[in-house]
């Protein structure tokens, strides 16, 4: 008989999360526009592809974002020895944000004349995805449900990339009120990560 106070193993949540992420990425691909009956010839197809270039780029950005979120999830949940109620709830919210990504991607590239709203909804989606995961992992750590052989440097580095991702998308939100090129901020992710790493190390003491 299984003990009532025995920690829940994380495997089922990990497998479930993997499946939901795979579905979200599949939905992204299903939303890609393809030439219809009204498009004829090579020139017609090329013109169609150029017209929908923004949607294809948005697909690649969202694919990369979901892939990064998944990589962070699998790198950190490998240290989980059990699951707390809080971690499960935050992980479900993380999955909700992942599943919503195909919708916010489609909204971002829709023909609606509301760039700021469209952009902010998309960027906020990515920010919340990162925050929900940080809260899930923090709950595991607070509950003592991480392996004792946890590699602090590997965990710190992975969480650092997650923080950089959150900050990068946050920075892009006010920029969207100034220019329609606010999405270029997302390319600054490596620079933001490097800046956060320097801040974390702090000023070095000058030699005597």
């Amino acid at each position: 008989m299984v003990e009532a106070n025995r920690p829940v193993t994380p495997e089922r949540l990990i497998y479930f999360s993997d499946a939901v992420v795979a579905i979200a990425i599949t939905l992204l691909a299903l939303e890609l526009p393809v030439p219809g009956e009204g498009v004829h010839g090579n020139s017609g197809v090329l013109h169609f592809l150029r017209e929908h270039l923004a949607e294809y780029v948005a697909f690649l950005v969202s694919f990369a974002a979901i892939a990064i979120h998944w990589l962070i999830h699998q790198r950190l949940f490998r240290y989980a020895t059990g699951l707390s109620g809080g971690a499960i709830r935050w992980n479900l919210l993380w999955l909700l944000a992942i599943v919503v990504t195909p919708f916010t991607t489609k909204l971002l590239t829709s023909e609606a004349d509301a760039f700021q709203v469209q952009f902010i909804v998309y960027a906020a989606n990515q920010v919340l995805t990162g925050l929900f995961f940080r809260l899930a992992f923090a709950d595991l750590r607070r509950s003592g449900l991480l392996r004792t052989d946890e590699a602090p440097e590997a965990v710190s580095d992975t969480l650092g990339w997650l923080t950089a991702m959150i900050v990068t998308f946050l920075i892009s939100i006010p920029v969207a009120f100034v220019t329609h090129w606010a999405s270029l901020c997302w390319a600054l992710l490596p620079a933001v990560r490097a800046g956060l790493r320097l801040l974390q190390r702090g000023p070095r003491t000058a030699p005597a």
Side-chain angles (χ1 to χ4, degrees):
M1 186 174 181
V2 179
E3 297 179 8
N5 59 349
R6 185 176 178 180
V8 179
T9 57
E11 283 77 13
R12 287 189 65 185
L13 182 65
I14 293 172
Y15 297 149
F16 176 66
S17 299
D18 288 348
V20 173
V21 170
I23 291 171
I25 287 179
T26 302
L27 290 174
L28 273 178
L30 292 176
E31 291 294 339
L32 289 174
V34 294
E37 294 180 359
V39 179
H40 303 287
N42 295 332
S43 59
V45 171
L46 290 174
H47 179 70
F48 178 90
L49 294 177
R50 284 194 299 270
E51 277 192 331
H52 295 276
L53 182 60
E55 290 155 273
Y56 300 136
V57 172
F59 162 77
L60 293 175
V61 171
S62 293
F63 182 94
I66 292 177
I68 292 172
H69 286 304
W70 175 78
L71 284 170
I72 291 171
H73 190 279
Q74 64 93 15
R75 283 180 182 175
L76 294 183
F77 259 72
R78 71 177 63 174
Y79 298 109
T81 59
L83 292 174
S84 61
I88 293 173
R89 287 189 289 272
W90 288 121
N91 193 87
L92 288 173
L93 286 172
W94 176 78
L95 288 175
L96 173 62
I98 291 288
V99 170
V100 167
T101 299
F103 163 74
T104 57
T105 304
K106 189 173 182 180
L107 176 66
L108 180 65
T109 57
S110 71
E111 296 180 358
D113 186 18
F115 171 75
Q116 281 79 18
V117 172
Q118 293 167 261
F119 187 92
I120 291 171
V121 168
Y122 182 85
N125 180 197
Q126 300 306 320
V127 170
L128 288 173
T129 305
L131 286 175
F132 290 150
F133 181 80
R134 280 202 69 102
L135 290 167
F137 191 74
D139 200 276
L140 287 177
R141 177 173 279 168
R142 186 167 52 251
S143 302
L145 295 172
L146 296 177
R147 287 196 336 231
T148 54
D149 62 339
E150 170 191 340
E153 290 184 4
V155 170
S156 176
D157 183 64
T158 304
L159 287 175
W161 277 105
L162 180 60
T163 301
M165 195 171 181
I166 294 170
V167 171
T168 300
F169 278 100
L170 269 177
I171 290 172
S172 71
I173 291 176
V175 176
F177 288 97
V178 180
T179 175
H180 282 206
W181 294 96
S183 57
L184 292 179
C185 293
W186 305 337
L188 298 176
L189 175 60
V192 173
R193 175 66 185 112
L196 291 176
R197 188 182 283 116
L198 289 174
L199 288 175
Q200 188 176 10
R201 289 176 182 174
R204 294 183 179 180
T205 306

